[in-house]
C-alpha cells in the first residue's frame, strides 16, 4: 500500500500516518470496505512501531474514517457521498488593485503602540473577576470612560448605567430589532443595504424613509426610525435643525424610538462636529457608536446609550445572544480613553482624512460634482451613467461604491453616483487610486 507518507518538519510519525490515511480515504485511493494491513505488517513496511500504527488506526476509527470489528480487521468506512452539483465554499473575493470602496478607515493608522500600552496597563490592573463571565452591559470601566468621552465629544447624555457595550453597530441594531419584536422600522432611502438585511433577519419589517438635501424626512406609523443625522450615508448630508426637532417631536408624540447611527460623527472638517441628536431627546433616542471607524473594525467594540426603559430589555437579549462582549478589549479601550490617547488618535485621523478629502476635490476638479458636507470617510460623486463608469473602473482594477446599490428598490429615474471611500486605502496607495479614478472619469466621458 503506497500511502505517500511524507512527514513534515515537526510532524510526528503517528500524525503523518493519520494524515496520509485520511487523504487516501478522502481522495478514493482507499475504497470503502477495503481491508487495511494488519498493524504488525504495516509497522514493518513503514519502519515504525506497531503501537504507532495501532494508535493511528484507533484515532481514525474514532473519527469515522475506518471501522474495526473483531475477526474482520480494520476496513475503510463508507463516507457520505458528495451530492452532484452541491456548491462548495465560496472563493474569497480578490482584493482590488485600487480600493476606494466606502465603509472602512485606513487600518494602517491603527495606534498599535498606544493600544499595547493600554492593554498592558489594563491587564496589570484588572481584578480577577474581569476574566470571568461578566455583566452583559459591559465592563463598568469602559462604560464610565465612554460616559465622559461621549458627553464632551458628542454631547450625549450617557450615564454609565444606560450604556451597553456591543461587538459593533450591527449587533446593537440586531439587539434593538429583537426588543422591538417585529415592529416596523423606518430606514433611510438610500441607505446601507446590509443594515436593512440585519433588521429583516431579526424579525423587523423595513419601511423606506426618504432622504433629500435636508436629510431624512419625518417617519410615519413606525415603531422605530434609524437615521444617520451627523453625516447621512451615502448622500453625505446632515440632518437639518428643523428636521431634528420634527423627528424628536414625532418620537415623543408616538412613543417611538429613534436609533441614531453616529458611525463617523467625530470626523467633521469645516467646523465643529454637530452634536448628537440624542442630546435633544435622551428618552426617545438610542445612540449607537463604534470604534470601527476611529480605531478599526477588527476590535469589534461598539456601544449603545439607551433610554432608561430599554436598558434591561436590551441587556437581557444581549445575555442570551453572547453573554457579554470580550472583556480585555473593553479594558484596553477604557485605558486608551482615560489616558487621552484615544482623543489624540482621533485628532490625528481627522487631519489625515480632511487632507484626503481635499485631495479628492482637487484631483477631480471639473470632472464631476462631489456632494455632501466636509465630513466622514466617504464622498458622493455624481455621474450620469453608473454602469459605464463602473465598467471602466473594473477594467483598471479600481473598486468603488455605487449609489444605485443603496436604494431600497431599483429606479432608473433616481440620481446616480459613485460612493468613494477615501478612508479605505493605505496612506501610500491613496494618490495612485485617485489618479486611476480621474482616468476612469475621463474615459467615461466625464473629463474636463
Amino acid at each position: 500500500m503506497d500511502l505517500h507518507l511524507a512527514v513534515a518538519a515537526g510532524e510526528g510519525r503517528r500524525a503523518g500516518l493519520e494524515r496520509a490515511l485520511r487523504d487516501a480515504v478522502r481522495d478514493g485511493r482507499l475504497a470503502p470496505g477495503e481491508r487495511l494491513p494488519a498493524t504488525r505488517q504495516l509497522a514493518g513496511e513503514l519502519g515504525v512501531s506497531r503501537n504507532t500504527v495501532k494508535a493511528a488506526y484507533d484515532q481514525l476509527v474514532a473519527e469515522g474514517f475506518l471501522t474495526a470489528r473483531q475477526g474482520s480487521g480494520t476496513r475503510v468506512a463508507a463516507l457520505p457521498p458528495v451530492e452532484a452539483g452541491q456548491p462548495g465554499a465560496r472563493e474569497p473575493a480578490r482584493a482590488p488593485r485600487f480600493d476606494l470602496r466606502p465603509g472602512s478607515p485606513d487600518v494602517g493608522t491603527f495606534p498599535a503602540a498606544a493600544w499595547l500600552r493600554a492593554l498592558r496597563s489594563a491587564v496589570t490592573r484588572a481584578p480577577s473577576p474581569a476574566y470571568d463571565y461578566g455583566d452583559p452591559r459591559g465592563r463598568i470601566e469602559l462604560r464610565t470612560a465612554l460616559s465622559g468621552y461621549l458627553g464632551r465629544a458628542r454631547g450625549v447624555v450617557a450615564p454609565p448605567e444606560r450604556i451597553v457595550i456591543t461587538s459593533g453597530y450591527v449587533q446593537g441594531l440586531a439587539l434593538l430589532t429583537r426588543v422591538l419584536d417585529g415592529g416596523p422600522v423606518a430606514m433611510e432611502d438610500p441607505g446601507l443595504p446590509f443594515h436593512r438585511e440585519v433588521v429583516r433577519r431579526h424579525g423587523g419589517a423595513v419601511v423606506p424613509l426618504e432622504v433629500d438635501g435636508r436629510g431624512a424626512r419625518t417617519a410615519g406609523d413606525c415603531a422605530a426610525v434609524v437615521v444617520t443625522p451627523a453625516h447621512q450615508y451615502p448622500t453625505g448630508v446632515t440632518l437639518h435643525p428643523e428636521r431634528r426637532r420634527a423627528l424628536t417631536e414625532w418620537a415623543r408624540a408616538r412613543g417611538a424610538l429613534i436609533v441614531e447611527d453616529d458611525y463617523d460623527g467625530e470626523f467633521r472638517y469645516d467646523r465643529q462636529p454637530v452634536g448628537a441628536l440624542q442630546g435633544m431627546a435622551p428618552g426617545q433616542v438610542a445612540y449607537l457608536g463604534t470604534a470601527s471607524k476611529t480605531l478599526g473594525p477588527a476590535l469589534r467594540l461598539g456601544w449603545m446609550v439607551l433610554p432608561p426603559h430599554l436598558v434591561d430589555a436590551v441587556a437581557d437579549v444581549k445575555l442570551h445572544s453572547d453573554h457579554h462582549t470580550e472583556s480585555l478589549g473593553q479594558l484596553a479601550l477604557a485605558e486608551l480613553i482615560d489616558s487621552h490617547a484615544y482623543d489624540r488618535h482621533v485628532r490625528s485621523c481627522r487631519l489625515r482624512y480632511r487632507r484626503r478629502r481635499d485631495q479628492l476635490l482637487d484631483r477631480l476638479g471639473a470632472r464631476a460634482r462631489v456632494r455632501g458636507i466636509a465630513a466622514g470617510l466617504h464622498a458622493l460623486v455624481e455621474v450620469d451613467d453608473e454602469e459605464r463608469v463602473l465598467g471602466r473602473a473594473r477594467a483598471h482594477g479600481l473598486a468603488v461604491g455605487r449609489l444605485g446599490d443603496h436604494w431600497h428598490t431599483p429606479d432608473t429615474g433616481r440620481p446616480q453616483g459613485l460612493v468613494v471611500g477615501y478612508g479605505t486605502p493605505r496612506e501610500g496607495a491613496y494618490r495612485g487610486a485617485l489618479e486611476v479614478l480621474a482616468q476612469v472619469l475621463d474615459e467615461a466621458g466625464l473629463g474636463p
Side-chain angles (χ1 to χ4, degrees):
M1 180 187 302
D2 184 3
L3 293 175
H4 300 285
L5 181 58
V7 180
E11 183 180 40
R13 283 287 183 178
R14 172 184 162 183
L17 178 58
E18 290 174 7
R19 176 177 48 77
L21 287 169
R22 284 193 200 94
D23 291 345
V25 173
R26 287 187 181 121
D27 63 24
R29 286 184 290 116
L30 289 178
E34 186 172 348
R35 184 169 180 171
L36 297 183
T39 55
R40 190 184 304 277
Q41 177 187 349
L42 186 56
E45 293 176 357
L46 299 178
V48 298
S49 72
R50 183 183 177 190
N51 285 341
T52 297
V53 176
K54 184 177 185 306
Y57 278 8
D58 289 345
Q59 178 65 26
L60 295 179
V61 167
E63 293 178 5
F65 286 92
L66 305 178
T67 62
R69 291 184 181 177
Q70 189 70 29
S72 63
T74 304
R75 297 180 181 273
V76 178
L79 299 181
V82 178
E83 296 180 12
Q86 181 178 359
R90 181 182 301 176
E91 287 290 327
R94 295 180 61 183
R97 186 179 175 193
F98 304 100
D99 195 352
L100 288 174
R101 291 173 295 185
S104 293
D106 178 0
V107 294
T109 65
F110 180 79
W115 181 261
L116 186 58
R117 286 192 297 271
L119 186 59
R120 262 200 208 101
S121 176
V123 170
T124 300
R125 298 191 297 170
S128 55
Y131 302 97
D132 203 346
Y133 292 106
D135 188 335
R137 294 175 300 170
R139 293 293 307 180
I140 186 60
E141 296 90 341
L142 179 55
R143 290 189 283 126
T144 301
L146 283 170
S147 177
Y149 172 77
L150 294 174
R152 71 173 184 270
R154 302 297 299 127
V156 176
V157 180
E161 62 272 15
R162 286 171 51 186
I163 297 177
V164 174
I165 306 301
T166 67
S167 61
Y169 171 79
V170 167
Q171 187 185 46
L173 182 60
L175 295 176
L176 286 172
T177 304
R178 290 171 60 183
V179 168
L180 293 172
D181 198 21
V185 178
M187 304 187 74
E188 294 172 329
D189 188 19
L192 195 62
F194 181 69
H195 290 171
R196 296 196 291 267
E197 190 60 25
V198 169
V199 171
R200 292 190 183 104
R201 290 194 177 215
H202 289 85
V206 176
V207 178
L209 181 65
E210 183 184 352
V211 173
D212 59 23
R214 303 175 73 183
R217 291 183 174 275
T218 303
D221 186 15
C222 296
V225 57
V226 182
V227 290
T228 51
H231 186 221
Q232 202 276 331
Y233 183 86
T235 66
V237 301
T238 189
L239 190 61
H240 192 276
E242 291 181 6
R243 295 272 176 90
R244 290 165 71 98
R245 287 191 292 271
L247 188 58
T248 55
E249 289 170 3
W250 167 86
R252 287 191 185 98
R254 293 179 174 266
L257 178 69
I258 301 170
V259 180
E260 179 175 11
D261 178 3
D262 198 35
Y263 68 102
D264 64 359
E266 292 96 340
F267 298 132
R268 183 73 186 257
Y269 312 128
D270 58 344
R271 50 167 289 177
Q272 283 292 108
V274 175
L277 181 65
Q278 191 265 6
M280 293 179 63
Q284 281 71 46
V285 179
Y287 173 91
L288 274 64
T290 172
S292 293
K293 302 299 184 290
T294 52
L295 293 174
L299 295 182
R300 306 315 306 140
L301 284 172
W303 43 86
M304 295 188 285
V305 183
L306 300 168
H309 68 281
L310 288 179
V311 174
D312 289 343
V314 170
D316 184 67
V317 175
K318 170 76 172 169
L319 174 67
H320 292 90
S321 296
D322 63 356
H323 204 297
H324 66 91
T325 301
E326 69 90 12
S327 297
L328 294 183
Q330 294 186 55
L331 293 172
L333 180 55
E335 178 68 25
L336 204 69
I337 294 172
D338 289 340
S339 68
H340 299 286
Y342 186 78
D343 296 74
R344 290 192 294 272
H345 175 72
V346 169
R347 286 196 297 270
S348 174
C349 288
R350 189 181 294 128
L351 292 173
R352 178 179 294 105
Y353 296 139
R354 175 180 180 172
R355 184 175 67 249
R356 287 193 180 191
R357 188 178 188 276
D358 290 343
Q359 290 170 348
L360 173 67
L361 295 175
D362 290 343
R363 191 65 189 89
L364 294 190
R367 289 177 176 84
R369 179 187 172 196
V370 177
R371 290 182 55 190
I373 61 171
L377 306 179
H378 80 278
L380 179 60
V381 178
E382 290 184 341
V383 298
D384 294 329
D385 189 336
E386 290 175 344
E387 289 305 319
R388 185 171 81 251
V389 177
L390 290 172
R392 296 309 308 155
R394 286 190 292 269
H396 287 279
L398 172 67
V400 66
R402 175 179 178 266
L403 178 59
D405 293 334
H406 294 77
W407 299 105
H408 283 242
T409 55
D411 186 341
T412 55
R414 285 176 168 156
Q416 298 188 57
L418 307 179
V419 188
V420 179
Y422 51 79
T424 304
R426 297 289 184 93
E427 191 67 28
Y430 182 59
R431 286 187 178 275
L434 279 188
E435 293 299 323
V436 174
L437 176 61
Q439 183 178 352
V440 164
L441 295 177
D442 288 343
E443 294 177 1
L446 298 176

